[in-house]
Amino acid sequence: MVFLQLRGAASCGLVKIIFSYGLFTLFSAQVLGLAISKPILDDLATTNRYPAINARADDIGSIIARDGPTLADIPSLDQLRQAVKAQSKFLASLINVDPDDLTTIFYTSNPLPIDEIECFANKFIGEGKFIYFENAISEDDAHKFELSLLGNAQAKDLYQKQLSRVIAEQADGEVMLLIPPGVEPSPQSTWTLYEFPALQHDNRNNVEVYRVDVTGSTEAELIWETENGPTLPPPLDTLPPGN
């Protein structure tokens, strides 16, 4: 087995105050007196992945004006690729490194509370020297993509899985899978069906994939590298034709 020694200590002890974009949008809509369907209300009330405290009336109005999103509204793979590539360049520019110097992080089986993953990465990899689902596209793109799918849980789920797939396609160098000790990824997880297959089939860079047991040892175990060749089927193709 090959191990990578990580930096830092295992405990983050970080407390974050998060403003819920979804709740603020819901409040803004109610103040404006807009009538919103129940599926969209439910989605707005639980959306908090991209914290923000500004909601625009035209965004909300555009949602209400249409019958609702369909699978055809899911951003195409090319749109997602462009968004991830642009954000990678931006993140790298903040710390004066090349985009391919960023470590790509995936996580499965709830290894840490979601708001502690960034803290973990800052300590173990380096301040800002990583890309993962939560920062892989800009807040503007996230705002645009997620608002376009509000009210359709299936479309939103497929969008998130395809975004994960694109992040894997564009990874370069070290890739880390955060997972609890002694746990194997579910056969139906996004990691098993989209992310790991995309690393093996769609990625054109040289990557090394390490398993990091975040609540145990500070060592990372090498579980796959490009020279091994694919060990899984290609990622699921779940987008409608034309996407």
Side-chain angles (χ1 to χ4, degrees), residues 77-138:
L77 287 173
D78 281 343
Q79 285 178 291
L80 295 175
R81 288 174 183 128
Q82 291 171 11
V84 172
K85 185 172 292 185
Q87 181 71 350
S88 296
K89 290 180 179 178
F90 171 71
L91 293 174
S93 72
L94 295 178
I95 53 174
N96 296 315
V97 299
D98 291 329
D100 56 10
D101 289 331
L102 298 175
T103 295
T104 304
I105 297 174
F106 299 98
Y107 49 89
T108 191
S109 305
N110 301 314
L112 287 172
I114 193 67
D115 59 337
E116 289 187 20
I117 289 179
E118 182 177 348
C119 174
F120 175 92
N122 280 328
K123 282 181 172 289
F124 280 82
I125 298 169
E127 193 75 26
K129 200 177 178 181
F130 56 90
I131 187 168
Y132 72 130
F133 187 82
E134 305 298 321
N135 71 351
I137 59 177
S138 70

Side-chain angles (χ1 to χ4, degrees), residues 160-175:
Q160 292 175 347
K161 289 174 177 175
Q162 294 298 339
L163 175 57
S164 294
R165 169 183 175 175
V166 168
I167 296 167
E169 282 184 10
Q170 298 192 15
D172 198 354
E174 292 176 358
V175 174

